Amino acid sequence: MTDRFLTASFAFTLMAGTASADYSLTILHTNDFHARFEPISKYDSGCSAEDNAAGECFGGTARLVTAITEARTRSNNAILVDGGDQFQGTLFYTYYKGALAAEMMNKLGYDAMTVGNHEFDDGPEVLRGFMDSIDFPILMSNADYSREALLSGTLQKSVVIERGGEKLGLIGLTPQDTDELASPGPNIVFTDPVDAVQSEVDRLEDEGVNKIIVLSHSGYVVDQRVAAETTGVDVIVGGHSNTLLSNTNERATGPYPTMVGSTAIVQAYAYGKFLGELNVTFNDAGEVTEAVGEPLVMDGSVAEDNATTDRIAELAKPLDEIRQRVVAETAAPINGDRDVCRAQECEMGNLVADAMLARVKDQGVSIAIANSGGLRASIDAGEVTMGEVLTVLPFQNTLSTFQLSGAGILAALENGVSQVEEGAGRFPQVAGMKFIWDSSVATGEGRVVEVMIAEGDAWVPLDPAKIYGVVTNNYVRGGGDGYKIFSTDGMNAYDYGPDLADVTAEYLTSQGPYRPYTDGRISKR
Protein backbone atom coordinates (compact mmCIF):
# COMPACT_ATOMS: atom_id res chain seq x y z
CA MET A 1 0.00 0.00 0.00
CA THR A 2 1.42 3.43 -0.99
CA ASP A 3 0.35 7.00 -0.29
CA ARG A 4 0.50 9.69 -2.96
CA PHE A 5 -0.59 13.30 -2.85
CA LEU A 6 -0.89 14.44 -6.47
CA THR A 7 -0.49 18.20 -6.38
CA ALA A 8 -1.29 18.73 -10.03
CA SER A 9 -4.70 17.09 -9.79
CA PHE A 10 -5.27 17.76 -6.09
CA ALA A 11 -5.53 14.05 -5.39
CA PHE A 12 -4.59 11.73 -2.57
CA THR A 13 -4.44 8.05 -3.56
CA LEU A 14 -4.10 4.93 -1.49
CA MET A 15 -3.24 1.51 -2.92
CA ALA A 16 -2.37 3.11 -6.22
CA GLY A 17 -2.99 1.14 -9.36
CA THR A 18 -4.34 -2.07 -7.90
CA ALA A 19 -7.44 -1.04 -5.93
CA SER A 20 -10.83 -1.86 -7.41
CA ALA A 21 -12.76 1.32 -6.68
CA ASP A 22 -16.44 0.57 -6.84
CA TYR A 23 -18.14 3.56 -5.25
CA SER A 24 -17.58 7.27 -5.80
CA LEU A 25 -19.15 10.03 -3.73
CA THR A 26 -19.09 13.81 -4.10
CA ILE A 27 -19.27 15.65 -0.77
CA LEU A 28 -20.44 19.22 -1.24
CA HIS A 29 -20.06 21.25 1.92
CA THR A 30 -20.33 24.63 3.60
CA ASN A 31 -19.54 25.86 7.12
CA ASP A 32 -19.84 28.97 9.25
CA PHE A 33 -22.38 30.61 6.94
CA HIS A 34 -23.51 33.07 9.63
CA ALA A 35 -26.66 34.31 7.92
CA ARG A 36 -24.83 35.72 4.88
CA PHE A 37 -27.83 35.19 2.59
CA GLU A 38 -26.90 38.23 0.53
CA PRO A 39 -23.56 38.67 -1.30
CA ILE A 40 -20.60 39.88 0.73
CA SER A 41 -17.61 42.09 0.03
CA LYS A 42 -13.98 41.01 0.17
CA TYR A 43 -14.14 42.16 3.80
CA ASP A 44 -16.91 39.60 4.54
CA SER A 45 -19.41 42.39 5.23
CA GLY A 46 -22.26 43.77 3.13
CA CYS A 47 -21.77 44.40 -0.57
CA SER A 48 -23.74 47.03 -2.49
CA ALA A 49 -25.98 46.19 -5.43
CA GLU A 50 -23.69 48.28 -7.64
CA ASP A 51 -20.58 46.35 -6.61
CA ASN A 52 -22.44 43.07 -7.00
CA ALA A 53 -23.50 44.00 -10.52
CA ALA A 54 -19.88 44.86 -11.26
CA GLY A 55 -18.80 41.36 -10.23
CA GLU A 56 -16.97 42.49 -7.09
CA CYS A 57 -18.98 40.50 -4.53
CA PHE A 58 -18.87 36.93 -3.27
CA GLY A 59 -21.27 34.34 -1.96
CA GLY A 60 -24.92 34.72 -1.16
CA THR A 61 -27.49 31.93 -1.23
CA ALA A 62 -28.49 32.69 -4.81
CA ARG A 63 -24.97 31.83 -6.01
CA LEU A 64 -24.92 28.68 -3.91
CA VAL A 65 -28.15 27.53 -5.57
CA THR A 66 -26.46 27.73 -8.97
CA ALA A 67 -23.15 26.23 -7.89
CA ILE A 68 -24.71 23.31 -6.01
CA THR A 69 -27.03 22.51 -8.90
CA GLU A 70 -24.10 22.46 -11.31
CA ALA A 71 -21.94 20.40 -8.95
CA ARG A 72 -24.64 17.76 -8.62
CA THR A 73 -24.68 17.31 -12.38
CA ARG A 74 -20.98 16.39 -12.26
CA SER A 75 -21.57 13.44 -9.94
CA ASN A 76 -23.56 10.23 -9.92
CA ASN A 77 -23.69 10.32 -6.12
CA ALA A 78 -23.57 13.60 -4.19
CA ILE A 79 -24.42 14.77 -0.71
CA LEU A 80 -24.62 18.32 0.66
CA VAL A 81 -23.64 18.83 4.29
CA ASP A 82 -22.87 21.73 6.61
CA GLY A 83 -20.24 22.10 9.33
CA GLY A 84 -22.35 24.27 11.65
CA ASP A 85 -22.91 27.93 12.55
CA GLN A 86 -25.68 28.78 10.14
CA PHE A 87 -27.01 31.06 12.87
CA GLN A 88 -25.95 34.60 13.78
CA GLY A 89 -24.02 37.25 11.88
CA THR A 90 -26.45 39.62 10.16
CA LEU A 91 -29.78 41.33 10.74
CA PHE A 92 -31.41 38.41 8.92
CA TYR A 93 -30.73 36.26 11.95
CA THR A 94 -31.60 39.01 14.42
CA TYR A 95 -35.00 39.43 12.74
CA TYR A 96 -35.88 35.92 11.58
CA LYS A 97 -33.82 33.79 13.99
CA GLY A 98 -33.50 30.29 12.46
CA ALA A 99 -36.52 30.48 10.17
CA LEU A 100 -34.73 31.88 7.11
CA ALA A 101 -31.79 29.51 7.51
CA ALA A 102 -34.24 26.60 7.57
CA GLU A 103 -36.03 27.84 4.46
CA MET A 104 -32.85 28.32 2.45
CA MET A 105 -31.18 25.10 3.58
CA ASN A 106 -34.30 23.18 2.62
CA LYS A 107 -34.25 24.88 -0.77
CA LEU A 108 -30.60 23.93 -1.28
CA GLY A 109 -31.36 20.33 -0.34
CA TYR A 110 -28.95 19.68 2.53
CA ASP A 111 -28.61 16.09 3.68
CA ALA A 112 -27.32 16.85 7.20
CA MET A 113 -25.54 19.42 9.35
CA THR A 114 -23.83 19.48 12.71
CA VAL A 115 -24.75 21.79 15.56
CA GLY A 116 -22.40 24.77 15.79
CA ASN A 117 -21.91 26.74 18.96
CA HIS A 118 -23.86 29.68 17.51
CA GLU A 119 -26.88 27.45 17.07
CA PHE A 120 -27.13 27.82 20.86
CA ASP A 121 -26.87 31.62 20.95
CA ASP A 122 -30.55 31.96 21.82
CA GLY A 123 -30.75 28.77 23.84
CA PRO A 124 -32.24 25.37 23.01
CA GLU A 125 -35.61 26.98 22.21
CA VAL A 126 -34.53 28.61 18.93
CA LEU A 127 -32.48 25.55 17.96
CA ARG A 128 -35.55 23.35 18.50
CA GLY A 129 -37.66 25.65 16.31
CA PHE A 130 -35.04 25.36 13.59
CA MET A 131 -34.94 21.58 13.95
CA ASP A 132 -38.72 21.41 13.58
CA SER A 133 -38.51 23.36 10.30
CA ILE A 134 -35.71 21.56 8.44
CA ASP A 135 -36.06 18.55 6.14
CA PHE A 136 -32.78 16.93 7.17
CA PRO A 137 -31.10 15.75 10.40
CA ILE A 138 -28.95 17.96 12.60
CA LEU A 139 -26.35 16.05 14.60
CA MET A 140 -24.35 16.34 17.84
CA SER A 141 -22.52 13.33 19.27
CA ASN A 142 -20.32 14.81 21.99
CA ALA A 143 -22.91 15.93 24.50
CA ASP A 144 -25.33 14.50 27.01
CA TYR A 145 -28.60 16.33 26.36
CA SER A 146 -30.90 13.74 27.93
CA ARG A 147 -31.96 16.31 30.57
CA GLU A 148 -32.85 18.95 27.98
CA ALA A 149 -36.47 18.19 27.03
CA LEU A 150 -36.34 20.41 23.94
CA LEU A 151 -33.56 18.30 22.39
CA SER A 152 -33.85 14.85 23.94
CA GLY A 153 -35.51 12.44 21.53
CA THR A 154 -35.18 14.87 18.61
CA LEU A 155 -31.49 15.70 18.22
CA GLN A 156 -29.38 12.76 16.99
CA LYS A 157 -25.74 11.82 17.55
CA SER A 158 -25.41 10.25 14.10
CA VAL A 159 -27.53 9.17 11.17
CA VAL A 160 -27.32 6.70 8.30
CA ILE A 161 -28.37 7.87 4.85
CA GLU A 162 -28.27 6.04 1.51
CA ARG A 163 -26.82 7.33 -1.70
CA GLY A 164 -26.36 5.28 -4.83
CA GLY A 165 -27.30 2.09 -3.01
CA GLU A 166 -24.61 2.55 -0.33
CA LYS A 167 -25.03 3.41 3.34
CA LEU A 168 -23.21 6.47 4.67
CA GLY A 169 -22.77 7.09 8.38
CA LEU A 170 -22.76 10.77 9.37
CA ILE A 171 -21.66 11.88 12.86
CA GLY A 172 -21.95 15.40 14.35
CA LEU A 173 -19.43 17.22 16.55
CA THR A 174 -19.84 20.49 18.47
CA PRO A 175 -17.14 22.47 20.35
CA GLN A 176 -16.49 20.95 23.74
CA ASP A 177 -16.46 24.45 25.25
CA THR A 178 -19.83 25.46 23.80
CA ASP A 179 -21.02 26.23 27.32
CA GLU A 180 -18.41 29.04 27.32
CA LEU A 181 -19.09 30.15 23.75
CA ALA A 182 -22.89 30.29 23.66
CA SER A 183 -26.02 29.77 25.77
CA PRO A 184 -26.91 26.06 25.71
CA GLY A 185 -28.41 26.22 29.20
CA PRO A 186 -27.67 24.12 32.27
CA ASN A 187 -29.05 20.81 31.02
CA ILE A 188 -26.41 19.94 28.41
CA VAL A 189 -22.98 18.53 29.23
CA PHE A 190 -20.42 18.62 26.42
CA THR A 191 -17.86 15.82 26.20
CA ASP A 192 -14.57 14.85 24.56
CA PRO A 193 -14.83 14.68 20.77
CA VAL A 194 -12.54 11.67 20.29
CA ASP A 195 -14.44 9.43 22.66
CA ALA A 196 -17.78 10.53 21.22
CA VAL A 197 -16.78 9.91 17.62
CA GLN A 198 -15.22 6.53 18.32
CA SER A 199 -18.34 5.40 20.15
CA GLU A 200 -20.54 6.30 17.19
CA VAL A 201 -18.10 4.78 14.69
CA ASP A 202 -18.12 1.50 16.59
CA ARG A 203 -21.91 1.46 16.70
CA LEU A 204 -22.23 2.24 13.00
CA GLU A 205 -19.69 -0.40 12.03
CA ASP A 206 -21.61 -2.94 14.10
CA GLU A 207 -24.60 -2.09 11.93
CA GLY A 208 -22.58 -2.78 8.79
CA VAL A 209 -21.84 0.82 7.83
CA ASN A 210 -18.25 1.19 6.60
CA LYS A 211 -18.28 4.66 5.00
CA ILE A 212 -18.21 7.22 7.79
CA ILE A 213 -18.16 11.02 7.58
CA VAL A 214 -17.83 13.30 10.60
CA LEU A 215 -19.44 16.75 10.39
CA SER A 216 -17.30 18.66 12.86
CA HIS A 217 -17.78 22.15 14.20
CA SER A 218 -14.66 21.79 16.31
CA GLY A 219 -11.89 23.53 14.36
CA TYR A 220 -9.00 22.38 12.19
CA VAL A 221 -6.70 21.49 15.10
CA VAL A 222 -9.30 19.34 16.83
CA ASP A 223 -10.25 17.70 13.53
CA GLN A 224 -6.65 16.57 13.07
CA ARG A 225 -6.65 15.17 16.60
CA VAL A 226 -9.90 13.28 15.98
CA ALA A 227 -8.48 11.84 12.77
CA ALA A 228 -5.28 10.73 14.49
CA GLU A 229 -6.89 9.26 17.61
CA THR A 230 -9.86 7.40 16.15
CA THR A 231 -10.29 4.50 13.76
CA GLY A 232 -12.86 4.11 11.04
CA VAL A 233 -13.37 7.78 10.12
CA ASP A 234 -13.04 8.31 6.37
CA VAL A 235 -13.78 12.04 5.98
CA ILE A 236 -14.08 14.98 8.37
CA VAL A 237 -16.02 17.98 7.07
CA GLY A 238 -14.92 20.80 9.34
CA GLY A 239 -16.01 24.18 10.63
CA HIS A 240 -15.61 26.62 13.54
CA SER A 241 -12.06 27.80 12.79
CA ASN A 242 -13.09 29.33 9.43
CA THR A 243 -10.11 27.56 7.87
CA LEU A 244 -9.49 27.73 4.14
CA LEU A 245 -7.96 24.51 2.87
CA SER A 246 -6.86 24.67 -0.74
CA ASN A 247 -4.23 23.48 -3.19
CA THR A 248 -4.24 26.72 -5.19
CA ASN A 249 -5.05 29.62 -2.86
CA GLU A 250 -1.96 31.20 -1.31
CA ARG A 251 -3.90 32.10 1.84
CA ALA A 252 -4.79 28.49 2.56
CA THR A 253 -3.82 27.00 5.92
CA GLY A 254 -3.25 23.56 4.46
CA PRO A 255 -4.00 21.27 1.52
CA TYR A 256 -7.47 20.22 0.44
CA PRO A 257 -7.98 17.58 1.63
CA THR A 258 -5.57 17.47 4.55
CA MET A 259 -4.74 13.81 5.10
CA VAL A 260 -4.16 12.42 8.59
CA GLY A 261 -3.48 8.76 8.04
CA SER A 262 -6.25 7.67 5.70
CA THR A 263 -8.73 10.32 6.91
CA ALA A 264 -9.45 13.25 4.59
CA ILE A 265 -10.13 16.58 6.34
CA VAL A 266 -11.80 19.46 4.52
CA GLN A 267 -13.07 22.92 5.42
CA ALA A 268 -14.16 25.81 3.18
CA TYR A 269 -13.50 29.09 5.04
CA ALA A 270 -16.85 30.75 5.91
CA TYR A 271 -19.76 33.03 4.95
CA GLY A 272 -20.66 31.14 1.77
CA LYS A 273 -17.56 32.48 0.04
CA PHE A 274 -16.64 28.96 -1.08
CA LEU A 275 -18.46 25.73 -1.81
CA GLY A 276 -16.36 22.72 -0.89
CA GLU A 277 -16.34 19.89 -3.42
CA LEU A 278 -14.56 16.68 -2.41
CA ASN A 279 -14.72 13.61 -4.62
CA VAL A 280 -14.04 10.42 -2.67
CA THR A 281 -13.63 6.90 -4.01
CA PHE A 282 -14.15 3.88 -1.74
CA ASN A 283 -13.14 0.28 -2.42
CA ASP A 284 -15.31 -2.71 -1.58
CA ALA A 285 -14.08 -2.70 2.02
CA GLY A 286 -15.17 0.91 2.51
CA GLU A 287 -11.61 2.24 2.47
CA VAL A 288 -10.80 5.58 0.84
CA THR A 289 -8.69 4.97 -2.25
CA GLU A 290 -8.83 8.52 -3.59
CA ALA A 291 -9.82 11.93 -2.25
CA VAL A 292 -9.74 14.72 -4.81
CA GLY A 293 -11.07 18.23 -4.57
CA GLU A 294 -10.86 21.99 -4.22
CA PRO A 295 -13.16 24.66 -2.77
CA LEU A 296 -15.01 26.57 -5.47
CA VAL A 297 -14.97 30.33 -4.98
CA MET A 298 -18.43 31.91 -5.18
CA ASP A 299 -17.32 35.05 -7.01
CA GLY A 300 -19.00 37.17 -9.65
CA SER A 301 -18.54 34.50 -12.30
CA VAL A 302 -21.16 32.33 -10.56
CA ALA A 303 -24.63 33.36 -11.72
CA GLU A 304 -27.24 34.13 -9.10
CA ASP A 305 -30.51 32.22 -9.13
CA ASN A 306 -33.17 34.84 -9.83
CA ALA A 307 -35.95 33.28 -7.76
CA THR A 308 -33.67 33.09 -4.73
CA THR A 309 -32.48 36.66 -5.20
CA ASP A 310 -36.10 37.85 -5.35
CA ARG A 311 -37.06 35.91 -2.22
CA ILE A 312 -34.16 37.27 -0.20
CA ALA A 313 -34.89 40.81 -1.40
CA GLU A 314 -38.48 40.37 -0.21
CA LEU A 315 -37.29 39.20 3.20
CA ALA A 316 -34.78 42.06 3.40
CA LYS A 317 -37.41 44.81 3.16
CA PRO A 318 -38.07 45.06 6.92
CA LEU A 319 -34.33 45.37 7.47
CA ASP A 320 -33.42 47.93 4.83
CA GLU A 321 -34.30 51.11 6.69
CA ILE A 322 -31.92 50.13 9.49
CA ARG A 323 -29.17 48.75 7.28
CA GLN A 324 -28.97 51.57 4.76
CA ARG A 325 -28.76 54.42 7.26
CA VAL A 326 -25.34 56.09 6.91
CA VAL A 327 -23.91 56.67 10.37
CA ALA A 328 -20.30 57.67 9.78
CA GLU A 329 -17.36 57.83 7.42
CA THR A 330 -13.98 56.15 7.61
CA ALA A 331 -10.88 57.45 5.88
CA ALA A 332 -9.51 53.95 5.27
CA PRO A 333 -10.64 50.33 5.63
CA ILE A 334 -10.97 49.13 9.24
CA ASN A 335 -9.34 45.72 9.48
CA GLY A 336 -11.39 43.22 11.45
CA ASP A 337 -9.95 40.08 9.88
CA ARG A 338 -10.32 37.22 12.37
CA ASP A 339 -6.83 35.88 11.64
CA VAL A 340 -5.41 39.22 12.79
CA CYS A 341 -7.79 40.14 15.60
CA ARG A 342 -7.60 36.71 17.26
CA ALA A 343 -3.81 36.90 17.53
CA GLN A 344 -2.79 40.55 17.97
CA GLU A 345 -3.93 44.12 18.29
CA CYS A 346 -6.13 45.05 15.34
CA GLU A 347 -7.80 48.18 14.03
CA MET A 348 -11.36 46.94 14.60
CA GLY A 349 -10.48 45.85 18.11
CA ASN A 350 -9.12 49.29 18.92
CA LEU A 351 -12.24 50.95 17.51
CA VAL A 352 -14.65 48.83 19.54
CA ALA A 353 -12.62 48.95 22.77
CA ASP A 354 -12.13 52.71 22.44
CA ALA A 355 -15.87 53.17 21.81
CA MET A 356 -16.77 51.10 24.87
CA LEU A 357 -14.40 53.00 27.15
CA ALA A 358 -15.39 56.42 25.82
CA ARG A 359 -19.05 55.68 26.56
CA VAL A 360 -18.53 54.87 30.27
CA LYS A 361 -15.32 56.66 31.22
CA ASP A 362 -17.25 59.24 33.23
CA GLN A 363 -18.57 56.38 35.40
CA GLY A 364 -15.15 55.69 36.90
CA VAL A 365 -14.30 53.00 34.35
CA SER A 366 -10.70 53.00 33.13
CA ILE A 367 -10.28 49.68 31.29
CA ALA A 368 -12.10 48.12 28.32
CA ILE A 369 -11.71 44.47 27.32
CA ALA A 370 -13.43 43.14 24.19
CA ASN A 371 -13.35 39.56 22.94
CA SER A 372 -12.11 39.28 19.36
CA GLY A 373 -14.70 36.59 18.68
CA GLY A 374 -17.30 39.34 18.84
CA LEU A 375 -15.75 41.08 15.82
CA ARG A 376 -17.20 39.48 12.72
CA ALA A 377 -16.08 41.55 9.72
CA SER A 378 -14.04 44.47 8.43
CA ILE A 379 -15.41 47.78 7.10
CA ASP A 380 -14.27 49.29 3.84
CA ALA A 381 -13.36 52.94 3.31
CA GLY A 382 -15.94 55.64 2.78
CA GLU A 383 -19.48 55.87 4.12
CA VAL A 384 -20.29 53.48 6.95
CA THR A 385 -23.86 52.22 7.19
CA MET A 386 -25.55 50.82 10.26
CA GLY A 387 -25.78 47.56 8.34
CA GLU A 388 -22.00 47.40 8.18
CA VAL A 389 -21.68 48.08 11.90
CA LEU A 390 -24.23 45.37 12.64
CA THR A 391 -22.33 42.93 10.47
CA VAL A 392 -19.22 43.58 12.58
CA LEU A 393 -21.20 43.40 15.84
CA PRO A 394 -24.25 41.22 15.20
CA PHE A 395 -24.84 39.67 18.61
CA GLN A 396 -27.00 42.35 20.24
CA ASN A 397 -24.56 42.46 23.15
CA THR A 398 -24.94 45.23 25.68
CA LEU A 399 -22.28 47.14 27.58
CA SER A 400 -21.47 45.68 30.99
CA THR A 401 -19.58 47.51 33.69
CA PHE A 402 -18.13 46.06 36.88
CA GLN A 403 -15.21 46.29 39.27
CA LEU A 404 -12.35 43.80 39.47
CA SER A 405 -9.00 43.57 41.22
CA GLY A 406 -5.79 43.93 39.29
CA ALA A 407 -5.09 40.26 40.01
CA GLY A 408 -8.41 39.38 38.41
CA ILE A 409 -7.61 41.49 35.35
CA LEU A 410 -4.29 39.69 34.96
CA ALA A 411 -6.06 36.33 35.19
CA ALA A 412 -8.54 37.50 32.54
CA LEU A 413 -5.71 38.48 30.18
CA GLU A 414 -4.09 35.07 30.76
CA ASN A 415 -7.33 33.49 29.64
CA GLY A 416 -7.41 35.82 26.65
CA VAL A 417 -4.04 34.69 25.32
CA SER A 418 -4.46 31.03 26.29
CA GLN A 419 -5.73 29.75 22.95
CA VAL A 420 -4.10 32.00 20.37
CA GLU A 421 -2.64 29.00 18.56
CA GLU A 422 -6.17 27.70 18.00
CA GLY A 423 -7.51 31.02 16.73
CA ALA A 424 -9.95 31.24 19.64
CA GLY A 425 -12.25 34.24 19.95
CA ARG A 426 -11.21 34.96 23.54
CA PHE A 427 -8.16 36.99 22.47
CA PRO A 428 -8.57 40.40 24.19
CA GLN A 429 -8.72 43.73 22.43
CA VAL A 430 -8.24 46.48 25.00
CA ALA A 431 -8.38 50.18 25.77
CA GLY A 432 -7.03 52.07 28.76
CA MET A 433 -4.30 49.47 29.15
CA LYS A 434 -1.46 47.90 27.27
CA PHE A 435 0.17 44.55 27.78
CA ILE A 436 2.98 42.31 26.57
CA TRP A 437 2.61 38.55 26.28
CA ASP A 438 5.05 35.74 25.52
CA SER A 439 3.86 32.90 23.28
CA SER A 440 6.83 30.74 24.27
CA VAL A 441 5.39 30.39 27.78
CA ALA A 442 2.97 27.53 28.30
CA THR A 443 -0.70 28.34 28.75
CA GLY A 444 -1.54 29.19 32.34
CA GLU A 445 2.08 29.66 33.38
CA GLY A 446 2.44 33.42 32.99
CA ARG A 447 2.16 34.29 29.31
CA VAL A 448 1.26 37.88 30.18
CA VAL A 449 4.56 39.41 31.27
CA GLU A 450 3.67 43.11 31.63
CA VAL A 451 0.47 45.12 32.06
CA MET A 452 0.35 48.90 32.17
CA ILE A 453 -2.72 51.01 32.97
CA ALA A 454 -3.37 54.53 31.72
CA GLU A 455 -3.60 57.11 34.50
CA GLY A 456 -4.01 60.56 33.03
CA ASP A 457 -1.13 61.05 30.59
CA ALA A 458 1.03 58.39 32.27
CA TRP A 459 1.27 54.61 32.16
CA VAL A 460 1.62 52.82 35.49
CA PRO A 461 2.02 49.11 36.27
CA LEU A 462 -1.10 47.10 37.04
CA ASP A 463 -1.57 46.88 40.83
CA PRO A 464 -2.82 43.37 41.75
CA ALA A 465 -4.49 44.69 44.92
CA LYS A 466 -6.17 47.72 43.39
CA ILE A 467 -9.82 47.67 42.31
CA TYR A 468 -10.39 48.86 38.74
CA GLY A 469 -13.53 49.80 36.82
CA VAL A 470 -13.93 47.62 33.72
CA VAL A 471 -16.26 47.62 30.72
CA THR A 472 -16.88 44.68 28.42
CA ASN A 473 -19.98 43.18 26.79
CA ASN A 474 -22.63 41.22 28.66
CA TYR A 475 -21.63 37.91 27.05
CA VAL A 476 -18.04 38.18 28.27
CA ARG A 477 -19.08 39.60 31.65
CA GLY A 478 -21.23 36.50 32.13
CA GLY A 479 -18.21 34.24 31.66
CA GLY A 480 -18.28 33.77 27.89
CA ASP A 481 -15.09 32.88 26.00
CA GLY A 482 -13.56 31.58 29.22
CA TYR A 483 -13.76 34.86 31.14
CA LYS A 484 -15.34 33.14 34.13
CA ILE A 485 -13.48 35.38 36.56
CA PHE A 486 -15.63 38.32 35.40
CA SER A 487 -18.69 36.39 36.52
CA THR A 488 -17.29 34.98 39.76
CA ASP A 489 -15.15 37.89 40.98
CA GLY A 490 -16.67 40.92 39.29
CA MET A 491 -18.30 43.34 41.73
CA ASN A 492 -21.14 45.84 41.31
CA ALA A 493 -21.89 44.52 37.83
CA TYR A 494 -24.39 46.21 35.55
CA ASP A 495 -25.13 44.20 32.40
CA TYR A 496 -27.88 46.27 30.82
CA GLY A 497 -26.07 49.11 29.12
CA PRO A 498 -26.69 50.24 25.55
CA ASP A 499 -26.25 47.92 22.58
CA LEU A 500 -22.59 47.60 21.61
CA ALA A 501 -23.36 48.20 17.93
CA ASP A 502 -25.14 51.45 18.76
CA VAL A 503 -22.26 52.55 20.99
CA THR A 504 -19.76 51.87 18.22
CA ALA A 505 -21.84 53.63 15.58
CA GLU A 506 -22.22 56.71 17.80
CA TYR A 507 -18.50 56.76 18.51
CA LEU A 508 -17.73 56.57 14.79
CA THR A 509 -20.12 59.46 14.18
CA SER A 510 -18.38 61.58 16.80
CA GLN A 511 -14.98 61.12 15.19
CA GLY A 512 -15.72 62.73 11.84
CA PRO A 513 -13.92 60.75 9.14
CA TYR A 514 -12.55 57.96 11.33
CA ARG A 515 -8.90 57.03 10.86
CA PRO A 516 -8.19 53.38 11.78
CA TYR A 517 -5.02 52.75 13.72
CA THR A 518 -2.96 50.50 15.92
CA ASP A 519 -0.66 51.96 18.55
CA GLY A 520 1.21 49.07 20.13
CA ARG A 521 -1.14 48.55 23.06
CA ILE A 522 -0.73 44.78 22.62
CA SER A 523 2.70 43.41 21.86
CA LYS A 524 4.22 39.96 21.70
CA ARG A 525 7.60 39.00 23.04
Side-chain angles (χ1 to χ4, degrees):
M1 183 179 293
T2 61
D3 292 358
R4 293 185 300 156
F5 179 71
L6 305 179
T7 303
S9 60
F10 318 125
F12 181 93
T13 303
L14 297 174
M15 297 188 299
T18 61
S20 57
D22 65 331
Y23 179 72
S24 295
L25 175 70
T26 298
I27 302 173
L28 305 174
H29 61 97
T30 55
N31 59 276
D32 299 277
F33 187 69
H34 288 299
R36 297 303 206 275
F37 302 103
E38 295 176 320
I40 59 174
S41 72
K42 63 181 180 180
Y43 300 106
D44 298 334
S45 60
C47 200
S48 68
E50 294 76 16
D51 286 346
N52 194 39
E56 297 177 6
C57 301
F58 301 85
T61 305
R63 284 193 175 93
L64 285 174
V65 169
T66 300
I68 289 167
T69 299
E70 292 177 352
R72 283 175 171 145
T73 67
R74 296 193 288 269
S75 173
N76 293 328
N77 302 305
I79 63 171
L80 175 62
V81 294
D82 184 76
D85 273 7
Q86 281 281 328
F87 285 14
Q88 199 62 268
T90 68
L91 273 178
F92 281 106
Y93 178 77
T94 305
Y95 193 85
Y96 294 106
K97 297 305 179 184
L100 182 52
E103 177 182 338
M104 291 300 155
M105 293 186 82
N106 287 340
K107 179 184 181 73
L108 290 165
Y110 278 85
D111 292 286
M113 73 174 284
T114 191
V115 178
N117 53 287
H118 283 290
E119 269 71 68
F120 281 113
D121 276 357
D122 289 288
E125 296 82 3
V126 172
L127 174 57
R128 176 57 188 264
F130 174 73
M131 291 168 60
D132 288 343
S133 301
I134 56 178
D135 300 333
F136 52 89
I138 183 167
L139 310 172
M140 183 171 72
S141 67
N142 61 318
D144 178 359
Y145 44 85
S146 58
R147 294 175 54 242
E148 178 49 69
L150 288 165
L151 303 182
S152 180
T154 305
L155 185 60
Q156 302 176 67
K157 293 179 181 292
S158 63
V159 70
V160 177
I161 65 173
E162 290 195 10
R163 198 57 36 97
E166 293 286 335
K167 292 181 178 180
L168 308 173
L170 308 179
I171 302 170
L173 270 185
T174 299
Q176 190 174 355
D177 58 350
T178 291
D179 59 333
E180 297 181 356
L181 302 175
S183 303
N187 300 324
I188 304 174
V189 179
F190 295 88
T191 60
D192 181 75
V194 170
D195 294 341
V197 167
Q198 192 63 65
S199 177
E200 288 303 298
V201 170
D202 294 345
R203 188 181 63 78
L204 291 167
E205 289 183 336
D206 287 345
E207 296 176 5
V209 179
N210 63 8
K211 301 173 184 66
I212 295 177
I213 302 163
V214 174
L215 311 182
S216 172
H217 193 80
S218 299
Y220 187 49
V221 172
V222 174
D223 289 346
Q224 292 174 84
R225 177 189 159 217
V226 170
E229 297 180 15
T230 60
T231 60
V233 175
D234 297 304
V235 178
I236 298 177
V237 176
H240 190 48
S241 53
N242 293 27
T243 303
L244 176 61
L245 300 178
S246 170
N247 306 298
T248 61
N249 192 308
E250 63 182 14
R251 297 187 65 186
T253 301
Y256 183 104
T258 295
M259 300 301 302
V260 176
S262 59
T263 303
I265 300 172
V266 293
Q267 195 174 153
Y269 185 54
Y271 312 124
K273 209 166 193 174
F274 296 86
L275 172 66
E277 182 177 9
L278 181 71
N279 298 296
V280 185
T281 303
F282 297 88
N283 64 16
D284 292 336
E287 299 166 334
V288 174
T289 61
E290 187 177 62
V292 184
E294 181 71 8
L296 309 174
V297 63
M298 299 293 99
D299 60 15
S301 67
V302 180
E304 295 178 279
D305 175 72
N306 290 331
T308 305
T309 299
D310 292 345
R311 174 60 175 156
I312 292 172
E314 176 187 355
L315 293 165
K317 287 179 182 177
L319 317 179
D320 282 343
E321 182 179 351
I322 299 170
R323 296 193 304 176
Q324 293 175 4
R325 177 165 55 91
V326 176
V327 295
E329 181 180 352
T330 179
I334 309 171
N335 185 3
D337 184 272
R338 63 178 277 144
D339 290 339
V340 178
C341 294
R342 296 184 180 210
Q344 63 192 65
E345 176 191 0
C346 71
E347 293 169 346
M348 190 65 73
N350 285 358
L351 165 62
V352 172
D354 287 350
M356 293 165 66
L357 185 57
R359 184 60 174 259
V360 297
K361 203 165 188 178
D362 61 356
Q363 300 175 25
V365 174
S366 58
I367 294 169
I369 299 178
N371 61 320
S372 292
L375 311 176
R376 310 305 288 193
S378 301
I379 292 177
D380 55 4
E383 290 185 341
V384 179
T385 65
M386 194 63 199
E388 289 180 292
V389 176
L390 287 164
T391 300
V392 175
L393 300 164
F395 299 119
Q396 296 181 289
N397 292 136
T398 55
L399 255 60
S400 290
T401 55
F402 60 101
Q403 292 175 312
L404 188 66
S405 69
I409 290 168
L410 179 60
L413 293 176
E414 286 288 347
N415 168 71
V417 299
S418 67
Q419 297 182 10
V420 177
E421 294 81 1
E422 301 170 29
R426 64 188 58 195
F427 189 85
Q429 300 292 329
V430 301
M433 67 157 50
K434 58 184 179 180
F435 70 91
I436 301 171
W437 69 286
D438 188 343
S439 61
S440 68
V441 177
T443 296
E445 296 186 8
R447 281 190 157 188
V448 178
V449 296
E450 181 181 276
V451 183
M452 304 292 285
I453 306 297
E455 289 191 2
D457 295 329
W459 291 98
V460 300
L462 178 76
D463 181 349
K466 184 176 179 177
I467 302 299
Y468 294 89
V470 183
V471 61
T472 185
N473 64 62
N474 63 308
Y475 165 72
V476 171
R477 218 289 302 168
D481 268 341
Y483 286 92
K484 291 182 180 178
I485 197 164
F486 288 173
S487 176
T488 59
D489 292 20
M491 299 171 287
N492 301 317
Y494 183 75
D495 296 329
Y496 310 104
D499 186 283
L500 179 55
D502 291 337
V503 168
T504 303
E506 291 168 12
Y507 181 78
L508 277 168
T509 302
S510 72
Q511 299 297 300
Y514 180 76
R515 297 190 179 278
Y517 73 98
T518 58
D519 58 8
R521 62 184 67 177
I522 301 172
S523 56
K524 179 179 173 183
R525 179 175 291 176

